[in-house]
Amino acid sequence: MEPPRSVVVSGEAVTSNKIGLPPEMNKWAFSLALRDGKDEVDVQMNWPGDPIRAGKALAAFPIGPHDYSFVSLHGGPCLFTQTSCIFMYTLSEQADGTADILIQPAALASEGDRSKPFQVFMQGRCTPAGKS
């Protein structure tokens, strides 16, 4: 995974900026397994160090012929929110056996005792176990 980026909208222009995090949080590799179950696609995620507090992944839903979406939840503390954490994942398997992944957390910017939502994303490429 690439480190998180924020989305900045200014009129018609849209840009993204890398979010500066302490070096000890730069743990962007994790393992992910999707397995067809009886009624759903089971998701197993293991993120050593879990810098964003991704937490536990819930069942995936097929959203295309080679594409899945799922969420993960963590009770906190959180990196992008004040209490509980939620992340949405979109994974697209590619013809070469890799997968592109997009992670979008719920995110808040605090302004005194109030907050405003803002957009954050992380993107990356997954490779099958045993390949690099």
Side-chain angles (χ1 to χ4, degrees):
M1 296 299 305
E2 295 292 322
R5 299 183 72 85
S6 64
V7 177
V8 179
V9 178
S10 180
E12 295 294 317
V14 178
T15 58
S16 69
N17 298 317
K18 186 176 173 182
I19 296 175
L21 297 174
E24 62 270 12
M25 293 184 74
N26 290 326
K27 299 172 183 158
W28 303 113
F30 63 95
S31 65
L32 180 69
L34 300 178
R35 293 186 177 85
D36 285 328
K38 182 179 177 184
D39 297 322
E40 58 190 32
V41 178
D42 183 46
V43 179
Q44 293 178 344
M45 187 169 59
N46 179 22
W47 199 328
D50 195 358
I52 60 172
R53 307 264 198 237
K56 179 169 175 39
L58 304 180
F61 294 97
I63 57 173
H66 308 283
D67 314 283
Y68 299 89
S69 187
F70 59 94
V71 298
S72 69
L73 306 171
H74 189 284
C78 301
L79 180 60
F80 299 110
T81 56
Q82 294 179 16
T83 55
S84 301
C85 318
I86 185 168
F87 297 85
M88 185 176 86
Y89 302 74
T90 304
L91 181 104
S92 295
E93 296 176 2
Q94 303 302 304
D96 65 0
T98 64
D100 289 335
I101 189 165
L102 175 69
I103 303 174
Q104 299 168 286
L108 297 171
S110 295
E111 296 180 1
D113 67 339
R114 301 292 175 182
S115 300
K116 288 187 178 186
F118 72 103
Q119 295 177 321
V120 174
F121 72 94
M122 289 160 275
Q123 58 189 11
R125 169 82 34 118
C126 302
T127 56
K131 294 185 180 181
S132 51

Short mmCIF file of all heavy atoms in Angstrom, two decimals, residues 12 15 26 34 40 45 48-49 86 89 108 128:
data_model
loop_
_atom_site.label_atom_id
_atom_site.label_comp_id
_atom_site.label_asym_id
_atom_site.label_seq_id
_atom_site.Cartn_x
_atom_site.Cartn_y
_atom_site.Cartn_z
N GLU A 12 -12.98 23.60 -9.50
CA GLU A 12 -13.02 22.46 -10.42
C GLU A 12 -11.79 21.56 -10.30
O GLU A 12 -11.77 20.47 -10.84
CB GLU A 12 -13.15 22.96 -11.87
CG GLU A 12 -14.46 23.67 -12.15
CD GLU A 12 -15.66 22.74 -12.05
OE1 GLU A 12 -15.58 21.60 -12.55
OE2 GLU A 12 -16.67 23.14 -11.44
N THR A 15 -6.98 17.59 -6.23
CA THR A 15 -5.62 17.09 -6.04
C THR A 15 -5.60 16.18 -4.82
O THR A 15 -6.57 16.09 -4.08
CB THR A 15 -4.61 18.25 -5.83
OG1 THR A 15 -5.02 19.01 -4.68
CG2 THR A 15 -4.53 19.16 -7.05
N ASN A 26 4.80 3.66 9.31
CA ASN A 26 4.93 3.27 7.91
C ASN A 26 5.04 1.76 7.76
O ASN A 26 6.08 1.21 7.41
CB ASN A 26 6.13 3.98 7.27
CG ASN A 26 5.88 5.45 7.11
OD1 ASN A 26 4.75 5.87 6.85
ND2 ASN A 26 6.90 6.26 7.26
N LEU A 34 -9.49 -13.92 0.43
CA LEU A 34 -10.93 -13.97 0.17
C LEU A 34 -11.27 -15.42 -0.15
O LEU A 34 -10.64 -16.03 -1.02
CB LEU A 34 -11.32 -13.08 -1.01
CG LEU A 34 -11.02 -11.60 -0.88
CD1 LEU A 34 -11.41 -10.87 -2.16
CD2 LEU A 34 -11.74 -10.99 0.30
N GLU A 40 -21.59 -16.21 1.69
CA GLU A 40 -20.84 -14.96 1.57
C GLU A 40 -19.39 -15.26 1.25
O GLU A 40 -18.97 -16.41 1.26
CB GLU A 40 -20.94 -14.14 2.86
CG GLU A 40 -20.44 -14.88 4.09
CD GLU A 40 -20.75 -14.16 5.39
OE1 GLU A 40 -21.78 -13.49 5.50
OE2 GLU A 40 -19.94 -14.31 6.31
N MET A 45 -7.96 -10.77 7.05
CA MET A 45 -6.95 -9.74 6.88
C MET A 45 -6.01 -9.77 8.07
O MET A 45 -6.45 -9.84 9.21
CB MET A 45 -7.64 -8.37 6.78
CG MET A 45 -6.69 -7.25 6.44
SD MET A 45 -7.54 -5.70 6.01
CE MET A 45 -8.50 -5.36 7.48
N PRO A 48 0.13 -6.62 10.24
CA PRO A 48 1.06 -6.44 11.36
C PRO A 48 1.32 -4.96 11.62
O PRO A 48 1.61 -4.20 10.70
CB PRO A 48 2.33 -7.15 10.89
CG PRO A 48 1.86 -8.13 9.85
CD PRO A 48 0.69 -7.45 9.18
N GLY A 49 1.18 -4.56 12.84
CA GLY A 49 1.38 -3.17 13.22
C GLY A 49 0.19 -2.28 12.95
O GLY A 49 0.09 -1.19 13.49
N ILE A 86 -13.99 2.95 10.66
CA ILE A 86 -14.59 2.15 9.60
C ILE A 86 -13.85 2.45 8.30
O ILE A 86 -13.49 3.59 8.03
CB ILE A 86 -16.11 2.38 9.46
CG1 ILE A 86 -16.70 1.43 8.43
CG2 ILE A 86 -16.40 3.83 9.12
CD1 ILE A 86 -18.23 1.40 8.43
N TYR A 89 -13.14 -1.08 1.44
CA TYR A 89 -12.12 -1.62 0.55
C TYR A 89 -12.78 -1.98 -0.79
O TYR A 89 -13.87 -2.55 -0.81
CB TYR A 89 -11.51 -2.90 1.13
CG TYR A 89 -10.89 -2.73 2.47
CD1 TYR A 89 -11.67 -2.59 3.62
CD2 TYR A 89 -9.51 -2.71 2.62
CE1 TYR A 89 -11.08 -2.42 4.86
CE2 TYR A 89 -8.92 -2.55 3.87
CZ TYR A 89 -9.72 -2.40 4.98
OH TYR A 89 -9.15 -2.24 6.21
N LEU A 108 -12.46 12.44 9.80
CA LEU A 108 -12.96 13.70 10.33
C LEU A 108 -11.81 14.65 10.62
O LEU A 108 -10.78 14.24 11.12
CB LEU A 108 -13.72 13.48 11.65
CG LEU A 108 -14.98 12.62 11.59
CD1 LEU A 108 -15.46 12.34 13.01
CD2 LEU A 108 -16.05 13.32 10.78
N PRO A 128 -0.04 -12.37 -5.19
CA PRO A 128 -0.35 -13.65 -4.55
C PRO A 128 0.78 -14.10 -3.63
O PRO A 128 1.94 -13.78 -3.88
CB PRO A 128 -0.51 -14.62 -5.73
CG PRO A 128 -0.78 -13.75 -6.91
CD PRO A 128 -0.07 -12.46 -6.65
#
